[in-house]
Amino acid sequence: MGGDKRNRVFALTALLILGLSVTFPCCFSAANQPQTKKKSAQANKFGSSAVFPLHGNVYPLGYYSVSINIGYPAKRFDLDIDTGSDLTWVQCDAPCTGCTKPREYLYKPKNNHLQCGDPLCVAFHSPASDPCKTPDDQCDYEVEYADQGSSLGVMVNDYFPLKFTNGSQLGPRLAFGCGYDQKYPGPNTPPTTGVIGLGKGKASIVSQLSRMGLTRNVVGHCLSGQGGGFLFLGDDLVSFSRVMWTPMSRNSMENHYSSGPAELVFNGKSTGVKGLSLVFDSGSSYTYFNSQAYKAVVNLVRNDLDGKPIKETNEDKSLPICWKGRKPFKSVGDAKNFFKPLALSFINAKNVQLQLSPEDYLIVSKHGNVCFGILNGSEVGLENLNIIGDIMLLDKMLIYDNENQRIGWAPANCNRLPKS
């Protein structure tokens, strides 16, 4: 979730919905806001896209965010982008516990909560954890993230003013969370106001837009290694001929973008580590391998560095493993010649590999050392799961194609926003 992700594990969530004993403040009712004079959403043509510039970087910020307008009149919210969860939520003036922004930057509800009988509320709750007593109850939610952060609140719907690549400007009403009780891990408060959930569940923004006929059920991002990039909803920006695809796992846990099995390759040779199940998670700054894969790749990197003018240092706490050169490194480009490329070779797709240059698994710290951006997931409770974080997704267009149940990537210039 949002926050200082340098100390964060990842944003992969269980989307746990709990019954709440508290009654939400009286300002909510079942009534909808008055309709605006905007063009009907049905006037749009299927297959268009919405594109948003991104802000942030892997290091030192540790997050990528997008500015989204919500409401009428529209108000801007900076949200953490997260393909590891479904629910979009914003800090809510209702009143709020754990909100990090002044009241004027919070979302103000306007008698627009979802009732328990709403199909989105029904889809979002599992039968075992459904807190609703009657269909007329308000639709409460609680989402818990693996970094021990959480948001508790009520589901609402409101206008999302969007500009589409076919020239139309529409304001569809989308459901999201109005979070009035947040908890954040670590000592620092988050710079963002919430999270935009881009997973493949029915509650995600992309799924809602697809059901309305506004976009295909496709979402993607292009994260620049220089900082920034762009996010897109829909598929008309994708040059499919250049993309390498691997199928989404049919037994994908929850609603995450999972693929595999994959084999870990080091400098073009097999490491013997096979059968890796991978989750692509834009909410994680770094990559997490299970204990076997992590130890194998660390040993290979260390052995390959033996005799080179670069030495491991325990003085730099930026990441668990760092090296110092004869003089401080200014960029990964200064250090990359000491390191070999990695790759993930997908068993279920012929000749498909996610090629990973040293830039895709290293950072240069503020101390001028080069640090290993792959961490041991088994040490933080991931067990056998492997998380592909932002560091391995840089300078590539990533496409999560829910229409065809596949994940794709292609090299891209993420510094340039696509033309509409």
Side-chain angles (χ1 to χ4, degrees):
M1 62 184 293
D4 183 358
K5 295 192 202 169
R6 283 167 285 178
N7 300 317
R8 175 184 166 198
V9 178
F10 56 95
L12 190 67
T13 84
L15 289 181
L16 178 64
I17 311 302
L18 303 177
L20 306 176
S21 58
V22 63
T23 300
F24 199 78
C26 62
C27 55
F28 284 99
S29 75
N32 287 328
Q33 293 180 172
Q35 295 292 318
T36 72
K37 295 182 180 179
K38 292 181 179 292
K39 190 192 307 181
S40 167
Q42 298 303 320
N44 199 6
K45 291 184 179 179
F46 202 44
S48 190
S49 294
V51 185
F52 310 88
L54 295 176
H55 308 279
N57 54 49
V58 170
Y59 182 89
L61 293 178
Y63 68 92
Y64 284 85
S65 65
V66 62
S67 294
I68 298 289
N69 290 320
I70 303 175
Y72 183 77
K75 192 173 181 178
R76 191 180 79 173
F77 298 91
D78 295 328
L79 305 177
D80 212 339
I81 67 165
D82 187 14
T83 59
S85 63
D86 293 332
L87 181 69
T88 294
W89 63 266
V90 297
Q91 295 181 21
C92 184
D93 182 13
C96 186
T97 299
C99 280
T100 60
K101 302 291 184 181
R103 288 188 65 182
E104 60 267 27
Y105 293 102
L106 304 181
Y107 176 79
K108 184 68 176 176
K110 301 174 182 176
N111 301 322
N112 55 336
H113 80 274
L114 264 62
Q115 293 181 318
C116 284
D118 187 285
L120 264 179
C121 185
V122 173
F124 191 68
H125 289 81
S126 67
S129 62
D130 188 352
C132 297
K133 295 181 179 178
T134 73
D136 295 332
D137 288 347
Q138 66 186 21
C139 183
D140 296 321
Y141 79 88
E142 181 173 359
V143 56
E144 296 183 343
Y145 298 88
D147 63 356
Q148 308 306 310
S150 65
S151 175
L152 182 151
V154 65
M155 294 284 285
V156 299
N157 64 11
D158 208 336
Y159 300 105
F160 277 63
L162 299 172
K163 294 181 180 179
F164 291 90
T165 51
N166 65 2
S168 60
Q169 297 186 39
L170 303 172
R173 291 187 73 104
L174 303 176
F176 60 101
C178 190
Y180 56 82
D181 189 355
Q182 275 68 242
K183 292 182 175 62
Y184 303 100
N188 300 316
T189 57
T192 49
T193 320
V195 170
I196 179 168
L198 301 170
K200 59 182 181 179
K202 290 184 178 180
S204 77
I205 295 297
V206 65
S207 295
Q208 292 184 60
L209 290 173
S210 174
R211 287 196 300 276
M212 292 177 179
L214 299 183
T215 67
R216 295 281 183 186
N217 196 350
V218 176
V219 61
H221 53 71
C222 201
L223 308 178
S224 172
Q226 299 175 27
F230 59 89
L231 167 74
F232 58 94
L233 310 176
D235 70 347
D236 65 333
L237 299 176
V238 179
S239 177
F240 287 93
S241 61
R242 299 174 55 242
V243 179
M244 300 195 84
W245 297 100
T246 186
M248 291 184 190
S249 297
R250 295 298 179 185
N251 60 346
S252 175
M253 59 174 292
E254 302 277 339
N255 292 313
H256 310 304
Y257 296 115
S258 178
S259 68
E263 178 181 3
L264 181 62
V265 177
F266 178 79
N267 196 28
K269 298 178 182 178
S270 174
T271 62
V273 178
K274 302 179 181 181
L276 296 176
S277 176
L278 307 170
V279 172
F280 289 74
D281 185 3
S282 68
S284 175
S285 306
Y286 299 109
T287 287
Y288 292 80
F289 283 163
N290 66 34
S291 184
Q292 179 197 11
Y294 176 77
K295 290 176 181 177
V297 72
V298 167
N299 288 336
L300 286 165
V301 169
R302 281 174 167 159
N303 291 338
D304 189 66
L305 290 175
D306 190 34
K308 295 181 180 179
I310 182 172
K311 296 190 181 298
E312 199 163 328
T313 175
N314 59 7
E315 299 169 359
D316 194 332
K317 306 302 181 184
S318 301
L319 284 168
I321 300 177
C322 297
W323 297 269
K324 65 192 312 180
R326 289 173 175 170
K327 59 182 181 179
F329 297 110
K330 294 181 179 179
S331 69
V332 175
D334 293 340
K336 68 178 182 179
N337 290 336
F338 295 120
F339 295 86
K340 297 293 193 299
L342 299 172
L344 290 163
S345 182
F346 291 87
I347 309 303
N348 292 338
K350 188 176 180 180
N351 298 322
V352 171
Q353 288 191 342
L354 177 60
Q355 300 286 346
L356 302 166
S357 67
E359 291 94 332
D360 293 321
Y361 65 87
L362 299 171
I363 63 131
V364 168
S365 74
K366 63 182 179 181
H367 305 290
N369 298 318
V370 62
C371 299
F372 198 48
I374 302 173
L375 305 176
N376 190 339
S378 300
E379 290 184 351
V380 293
L382 293 181
E383 297 180 352
N384 204 41
L385 198 62
N386 304 280
I387 305 295
I388 304 301
D390 292 343
I391 193 169
M392 287 188 174
L393 306 177
L394 298 178
D395 300 313
K396 304 174 186 69
M397 181 179 281
L398 264 290
I399 306 110
Y400 308 94
D401 181 0
N402 294 306
E403 300 271 340
N404 297 294
Q405 289 294 294
R406 57 185 182 171
I407 301 168
W409 57 88
N413 180 1
C414 299
N415 298 313
R416 188 172 60 210
L417 206 65
K419 292 183 179 180
S420 299

